[in-house]
Amino acid sequence: MSKITIPSKSTEVNYDLKSKIAKTELGVNALWCVQCGICTSSCPVAEFLKPHQVIKMALLGLESVIRSREIWLCAECYMCYERCPQDVKPTEVLIMLKNIAAEEGYIYPALKKLVNLVINNGRIYEITDFENEIRADLGLPPVPEVNVDEIRKIAETTGLDKRIGIRRIET
Amino acid sequence: MKYALFLGCTIPVRLNNYEISARKVAETLGIELVDLKGAGCCGSPALWSIDETSALAIAAWNISIAEDSGLDIMALCTGCSEILEKANKKLKENPQLASKINQILKNVKREFKGSIEVKHFIKVLAEDFGIDNIKKFIKKRFKGLKVAVHYGCHLLRPSDILKFDNPENPAVLDKLVEITGAESIYWPLKLWCCGAPILAIDEKISLSMARAKIESAKESGADCIVTVCPFCQIQLDALQPEISRIAGKQYNIPVLLYPQLLGLAMGFAPEELGLDLNKIPADNLLSFLSKV
């Protein structure tokens, strides 16, 4: 058994963060959380991430929650989402917290790389003649070309391209 | 039956075996697949967790490309089908959100209309084609083959969005496996996540999740694992040698994509289904096959 750890030493309240979360639909919904812990007992990474703690910290507006590594360990398996008796949708709360963290510049380098690939190639893996030759040998048709310009324009419009700067995530 | 085939990023590059076998099976059943021109990354669960609006916009952009063809989307990748279905449902149900996203798509002269459905391959087989109808195409049967069926999270969950089978006690994929004559066994970690989504975040934790699954399947007496998702397949098959190395023991449990298993029962030769492209050799499974 692993010992239960509090995600971070910091208990600093960020009131902007608190009100930001409180204004969202998921944030309002999360007030129904009774800390029963069914999410955590259903979580495949519960040894490292305790969704019920994260939800409580988020409601309190603790800054450390968006700087934590824990939120990025959620595999989004949606087991807690299915089981939450209060329909708090813990998976979606975690996704929202990751969105807020990213907005503040806390993004995992590996994820930044992935997003860069999507913006630059339109897909995570680039398709070159090499890939298409292998496919042809196997009797598969060439992969249709992505309209990359359109994906880039979408990323420009949403500000995604500018947003993917990195700040260090606490470990 | 005709669908717009959404290939996604990973399958056309890393899982030719999935694509070959799925195309073979679909062709045999008379399911016509039209390659979607111009489409790209689905929006990606990883991007969704960084910037929901961008992911939603890219998903809507992909859907609008398929809308031009008037065909429903069929995705082989469970990540793609979950993201596209989630976006499709959200935008259909929320006109305000749809108009916000369409404002973004205006710059690329596209519009999300909400006129089509998005379905995973397994959903198409089970619900649109029908399991009983597939039975007519079975030419060989697996006798005594014990299969650990791995649904993968996003075929089932979030269930209020995907609306497919029971998220905690599913049966559809088990039935699809059993029409080949194979037996779907009980294994404790059947519905557990394979760990793939966090492979890029923490390899150690991610692989330990896959290891737990492989051990659960092994201990339950499975001869092989069957998956329907490229990420689950990579995690359990392609990374199995690495997991064995870390564990200090050889698991050597073959991992098949569902259309490979079905294709064998339909009478295709292993190489026609890309079985030679699986990392863990699956040749020994052929000895379970006998004519109907």
Side-chain angles (χ1 to χ4, degrees):
Chain A
M1 285 298 284
S2 70
K3 63 177 193 300
I4 290 173
T5 55
I6 302 299
S8 173
K9 293 124 216 145
S10 163
T11 52
E12 194 186 327
V13 176
N14 176 338
Y15 288 98
D16 288 339
L17 175 68
K18 188 175 176 176
S19 64
K20 190 176 199 169
I21 292 169
K23 276 177 200 151
T24 63
E25 209 182 310
L26 284 164
V28 173
N29 197 43
L31 292 170
W32 292 102
C33 174
V34 291
Q35 292 286 297
C36 69
I38 283 180
C39 50
T40 301
S41 52
S42 308
C43 182
V45 288
E47 204 179 325
F48 314 97
L49 158 70
K50 312 227 174 329
H52 74 289
Q53 280 184 0
V54 169
I55 288 166
K56 193 73 196 172
M57 290 173 76
L59 289 174
L60 291 170
L62 301 188
E63 167 79 19
S64 55
V65 77
I66 59 158
R67 277 193 267 123
S68 75
R69 181 171 173 271
E70 281 80 352
I71 56 172
W72 298 97
L73 290 175
C74 170
E76 294 173 24
C77 74
Y78 282 91
M79 208 50 124
C80 56
Y81 180 102
E82 298 293 337
R83 293 180 178 173
C84 175
Q86 296 291 84
D87 200 19
V88 165
K89 304 189 190 326
T91 318
E92 294 291 333
V93 174
L94 274 149
I95 291 173
M96 175 181 76
L97 291 174
K98 284 186 268 187
N99 266 261
I100 293 173
E103 221 177 277
E104 302 288 327
Y106 300 106
I107 306 180
Y108 247 83
L111 296 182
K112 189 197 167 193
K113 216 165 134 188
L114 183 144
V115 174
N116 259 321
L117 287 168
V118 172
I119 296 176
N120 289 314
N121 303 327
R123 44 170 77 248
I124 292 164
Y125 294 102
E126 198 182 356
I127 307 276
T128 63
D129 290 345
F130 178 71
E131 279 78 22
N132 276 328
E133 272 166 31
I134 292 175
R135 290 173 58 85
D137 288 344
L138 293 165
L140 289 170
V143 182
E145 253 174 63
V146 186
N147 205 328
V148 191
D149 288 345
E150 297 195 357
I151 286 203
R152 279 185 202 147
K153 257 187 206 156
I154 292 171
E156 269 169 37
T157 314
T158 61
L160 174 67
D161 56 341
K162 289 202 185 73
R163 194 191 255 203
I164 48 173
I166 324 175
R167 279 159 78 175
R168 202 174 67 86
I169 285 163
E170 283 182 359
T171 48
Chain B
M1 291 176 97
K2 206 169 168 184
Y3 297 89
L5 175 64
F6 194 89
L7 276 177
C9 301
T10 308
I11 291 171
V13 179
R14 293 190 62 184
L15 281 158
N16 292 325
N17 47 356
Y18 194 4
E19 193 181 335
I20 293 173
S21 55
R23 282 184 192 269
K24 274 265 153 56
V25 164
E27 193 189 345
T28 310
L29 298 175
I31 301 172
E32 196 182 332
L33 302 176
V34 180
D35 285 5
L36 206 49
K37 290 200 170 63
C41 167
C42 65
S44 159
L47 176 56
W48 195 297
S49 66
I50 290 172
D51 186 350
E52 192 171 319
T53 307
S54 297
L56 207 48
I58 293 175
W61 170 77
N62 279 305
I63 294 170
S64 84
I65 293 173
E67 281 177 339
D68 286 351
S69 70
L71 298 171
D72 285 344
I73 290 176
M74 187 192 99
L76 297 176
C77 169
T78 319
C80 296
S81 67
E82 188 236 354
I83 288 296
L84 294 173
E85 269 191 76
K86 196 155 96 171
N88 204 27
K89 187 165 191 283
K90 268 189 181 232
L91 296 172
K92 275 185 186 181
E93 285 177 357
N94 188 341
Q96 221 182 329
L97 184 63
S99 84
K100 179 186 154 188
I101 294 298
N102 274 333
Q103 207 59 42
I104 298 168
L105 296 186
K106 230 180 197 169
N107 286 346
V108 291
K109 298 188 180 67
R110 287 236 153 249
E111 189 194 357
F112 172 87
K113 296 189 189 75
S115 60
I116 58 163
E117 299 290 328
V118 180
K119 289 168 185 176
H120 188 270
F121 179 46
I122 294 301
K123 214 174 188 172
V124 167
L125 289 182
E127 290 180 350
D128 295 1
F129 195 82
I131 298 175
D132 284 337
N133 293 329
I134 301 174
K135 277 185 194 164
K136 296 169 199 155
F137 294 85
I138 303 288
K139 291 193 180 127
K140 290 174 171 179
R141 287 176 68 83
F142 288 101
K143 231 181 138 192
L145 179 72
K146 290 184 163 60
V147 175
V149 174
H150 171 72
Y151 279 79
C153 300
H154 299 143
L155 184 65
L156 302 167
R157 301 183 294 270
S159 65
D160 58 340
I161 288 166
L162 303 178
K163 293 201 172 22
F164 180 65
D165 213 342
N166 183 325
E168 295 258 20
N169 191 18
V172 172
L173 189 53
D174 301 81
K175 282 186 206 157
L176 280 166
V177 163
E178 296 208 320
I179 57 169
T180 68
E183 181 199 347
S184 166
I185 60 158
Y186 167 80
W187 56 306
L189 293 189
K190 181 175 181 174
L191 295 182
W192 212 237
C193 169
C194 70
I198 56 168
L199 187 65
I201 305 287
D202 192 315
E203 196 177 297
K204 210 175 137 201
I205 298 174
S206 171
L207 293 183
S208 74
M209 290 160 81
R211 177 182 167 183
K213 285 215 71 137
I214 291 169
E215 286 192 349
S216 175
K218 269 286 229 208
E219 281 164 14
S220 307
D223 298 307
C224 70
I225 299 173
V226 164
T227 72
V228 295
C229 166
F231 300 106
C232 303
Q233 180 70 17
I234 290 172
Q235 191 82 347
L236 300 173
D237 179 51
L239 297 178
Q240 199 183 116
E242 174 65 5
I243 294 165
S244 287
R245 192 190 61 78
I246 294 167
K249 51 182 161 182
Q250 289 302 316
Y251 295 110
N252 278 331
I253 181 163
V255 187
L256 261 58
L257 288 144
Y258 177 69
Q260 293 186 306
L261 184 85
L262 180 60
L264 287 170
M266 282 175 158
F268 286 110
E271 57 276 12
E272 288 179 286
L273 302 164
L275 218 66
D276 49 334
L277 300 173
N278 291 33
K279 187 82 181 176
I280 306 297
D283 306 345
N284 58 331
L285 302 182
L286 302 175
S287 61
F288 289 91
L289 266 180
S290 58
K291 285 221 171 83
V292 170

